[in-house]
């Protein structure tokens, strides 16, 4: 049965800054508390894993917070959390802050996502956007204010944009892909709670928004997906196009980062091993795309070896992009 992403769970966590507490595992007498915070995209996966982990270790309490990838890293680099959910790799400055705070971390990919661009279901004119169209809608220096400004045969209706907040890894990734070294426009309705974005697009015929694929899957009856043409034809996000990379450039890996000191605790070690073993099936139940088995095997080996640091920046601190299979060793 598909696990549901409910507005009640994620909304309260994101808006009120509250933690979703799940009492968890204790086969073999495990006890303790595991603190997780970060991405609203990865959060549903961690919640699903935490829920299933409860049957393994009911005396362990796992808390899953939703403060965005950037917000999660702000806590993680200070040692405030055991695990940070992230919808992008850790940034150079965040890695430096972790080092300064004495926090070593293990980087573990857990799934794939495809940032999904959606419009209101009553929008009859927009089926496909080119990357040039996307830039004209979202870049700060764009003169496009209405759909007619984008294409003269489209309605003269104001474009209202709903987007993740700037602490979101989804926003960071979108900005990197769309704006390059430029800026995203500021006159958008933003929220760290993706359910708020869903409701915003659902409620306005002229609206457009973007968020993780699972939120589209969960709300596809209330939204219309837009195909993206990045030069190789119009591609719709799906499990297949996200995994094989044809949904470019919006396919991306999802991560958890584990504090190495926390990983020495039996309950954290058991939880992460459970995550890497049971997670692939739960990733798909939640609505994302599971990793190829060889990538999951690498993650298991890296966790067993307590391999620290990121593989997504080079020796000069620049971000590395490309196939996960080629980068993650």
């Amino acid at each position: 049965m598909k696990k549901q992403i409910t507005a009640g769970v994620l909304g309260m966590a994101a808006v009120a800054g509250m933690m979703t507490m799940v009492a968890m595992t204790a086969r073999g007498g495990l006890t303790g508390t595991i603190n997780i915070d970060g991405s609203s995209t990865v959060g549903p996966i961690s919640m699903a894993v935490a829920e299933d982990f409860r049957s393994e270790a009911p005396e362990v309490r796992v808390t899953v917070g939703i403060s965005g990838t950037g917000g999660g890293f702000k806590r993680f680099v200070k040692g405030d959390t055991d695990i940070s959910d992230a919808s992008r790799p850790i940034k150079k400055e965040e890695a430096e802050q972790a080092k300064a705070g004495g926090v070593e971390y293990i980087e573990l990919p857990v799934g794939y996502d495809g940032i999904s661009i959606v419009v209101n279901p009553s929008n009859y004119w927009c089926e496909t956007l080119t990357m040039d169209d996307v830039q004209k809608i979202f870049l700060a220096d764009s003169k496009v204010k209405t759909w007619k400004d984008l294409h003269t045969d489209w309605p003269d209706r104001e474009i209202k944009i709903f987007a993740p907040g700037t602490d979101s890894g989804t926003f960071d990734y979108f900005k990197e892909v769309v704006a390059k070294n430029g800026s995203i426009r500021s006159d958008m309705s933003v929220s760290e709670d993706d359910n708020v974005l869903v409701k915003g697009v659902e409620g306005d015929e002229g609206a457009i928004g973007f968020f993780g694929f699972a939120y589209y899957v969960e709300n596809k009856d209330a939204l219309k997906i837009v195909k993206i043409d990045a030069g190789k034809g119009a591609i719709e996000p799906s499990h297949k196009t996200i995994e094989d990379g044809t949904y470019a450039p919006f396919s991306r890996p999802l991560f958890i980062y584990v504090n190495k000191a926390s990983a020495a605790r039996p309950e954290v070690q058991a939880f992460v091993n459970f995550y890497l073993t049971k997670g692939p099936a739960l990733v798909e139940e939640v609505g994302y795309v599971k990793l190829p088995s060889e990538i999951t095997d690498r993650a298991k080996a890296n966790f067993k070896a307590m391999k620290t640091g990121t593989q997504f920046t080079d020796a000069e601190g620049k971000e590395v992009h490309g196939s996960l299979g080629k980068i993650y060793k």
Side-chain angles (χ1 to χ4, degrees), residues 23 42 80 91 106 108 140 153 176 183 199 205 213 216 221 240 244 251 275 277 284-285 319-320:
V42 183
D80 289 348
K91 293 181 177 180
I106 305 156
L108 303 171
D153 57 339
E176 182 181 334
S183 300
K199 293 299 182 184
E205 189 180 58
F213 180 63
Y216 163 67
D221 291 340
K240 181 179 184 300
D244 66 21
S251 297
Y275 205 127
T277 301
E284 297 223 312
E285 283 190 39
E319 293 185 19
V320 177

Side-chain angles (χ1 to χ4, degrees), residues 110-186:
V110 295
Y112 283 123
D113 181 31
I115 294 178
S116 300
I117 297 177
V118 298
V119 294
N120 185 278
S122 297
N123 181 323
Y124 60 86
W125 56 91
C126 182
E127 302 290 337
T128 299
L129 292 173
T130 66
M131 286 304 295
D132 184 58
D133 290 334
V134 174
Q135 289 173 329
K136 286 178 179 178
I137 292 172
F138 287 96
L139 291 187
D141 59 0
S142 173
K143 304 300 182 185
V144 169
K145 301 296 182 184
T146 70
W147 289 100
K148 191 176 184 66
D149 292 337
L150 191 63
H151 291 287
T152 56
D153 57 339
W154 286 2
D156 188 17
R157 181 179 292 277
E158 181 184 0
I159 299 174
K160 294 185 179 180
I161 302 175
F162 294 84
T166 55
D167 264 345
S168 166
T170 302
F171 178 88
D172 284 342
Y173 191 91
F174 185 87
K175 179 178 182 294
E176 182 181 334
V177 167
V178 174
K180 307 298 183 183
N181 296 320
S183 300
I184 297 293
R185 61 196 294 173
S186 59

Side-chain angles (χ1 to χ4, degrees), residues 82-321:
D82 301 304
I83 297 171
S84 203
D85 289 338
S87 59
R88 59 160 171 79
I90 192 169
K91 293 181 177 180
K92 178 185 177 183
E93 57 267 31
E94 292 164 338
E96 290 172 345
Q97 291 166 1
K99 184 177 181 180
V103 174
E104 294 184 278
Y105 54 85
I106 305 156
E107 179 180 68
L108 303 171
V110 295
Y112 283 123
D113 181 31
I115 294 178
S116 300
I117 297 177
V118 298
V119 294
N120 185 278
S122 297
N123 181 323
Y124 60 86
W125 56 91
C126 182
E127 302 290 337
T128 299
L129 292 173
T130 66
M131 286 304 295
D132 184 58
D133 290 334
V134 174
Q135 289 173 329
K136 286 178 179 178
I137 292 172
F138 287 96
L139 291 187
D141 59 0
S142 173
K143 304 300 182 185
V144 169
K145 301 296 182 184
T146 70
W147 289 100
K148 191 176 184 66
D149 292 337
L150 191 63
H151 291 287
T152 56
D153 57 339
W154 286 2
D156 188 17
R157 181 179 292 277
E158 181 184 0
I159 299 174
K160 294 185 179 180
I161 302 175
F162 294 84
T166 55
D167 264 345
S168 166
T170 302
F171 178 88
D172 284 342
Y173 191 91
F174 185 87
K175 179 178 182 294
E176 182 181 334
V177 167
V178 174
K180 307 298 183 183
N181 296 320
S183 300
I184 297 293
R185 61 196 294 173
S186 59
D187 59 335
M188 305 186 298
S189 297
V190 300
S191 176
E192 298 295 346
D193 183 353
D194 292 331
N195 291 287
V196 173
L197 306 181
V198 169
K199 293 299 182 184
V201 176
E202 183 183 4
D204 191 298
E205 189 180 58
I208 188 170
F210 64 91
F211 34 72
F213 180 63
Y215 287 90
Y216 163 67
V217 171
E218 186 68 22
N219 297 280
K220 59 184 177 182
D221 291 340
L223 301 168
K224 175 183 170 181
I225 197 72
V226 177
K227 299 180 181 69
I228 301 299
D229 186 346
K232 296 183 178 180
I235 305 293
E236 181 175 326
S238 68
H239 285 77
K240 181 179 184 300
T241 61
I242 292 169
E243 182 177 355
D244 66 21
T246 55
Y247 182 62
F250 292 118
S251 297
R252 57 177 178 162
L254 305 174
F255 301 88
I256 59 171
Y257 286 78
V258 184
N259 185 314
K260 183 181 178 182
S262 299
R265 300 190 340 243
E267 71 275 17
V268 176
Q269 191 167 111
F271 178 77
V272 175
N273 283 326
F274 185 89
Y275 205 127
L276 296 176
T277 301
K278 303 293 186 180
L282 294 173
V283 163
E284 297 223 312
E285 283 190 39
V286 169
Y288 296 112
V289 179
K290 68 179 180 181
L291 297 172
S293 57
E294 59 266 28
I295 302 297
T296 300
D297 288 343
R298 290 178 201 174
K300 289 178 180 177
N302 287 345
F303 183 63
K304 182 178 180 179
M306 295 289 150
K307 182 176 181 178
T308 58
T310 179
Q311 300 186 48
F312 291 84
T313 57
D314 61 21
E316 298 177 353
K318 295 180 181 178
E319 293 185 19
V320 177
H321 301 279

Side-chain angles (χ1 to χ4, degrees), residues 7-57:
V9 172
L10 294 185
M12 286 195 301
V15 176
M18 294 175 65
M19 298 288 229
T20 300
M21 291 205 243
V22 189
M24 300 277 123
T25 190
R27 182 178 296 170
L30 287 176
T31 60
T33 299
I34 301 170
N35 293 314
I36 305 173
D37 197 3
S39 167
S40 63
T41 302
V42 183
I45 304 172
S46 292
M47 290 178 186
V49 173
E51 180 181 342
D52 282 10
F53 185 62
R54 178 170 48 191
S55 64
E56 296 288 311

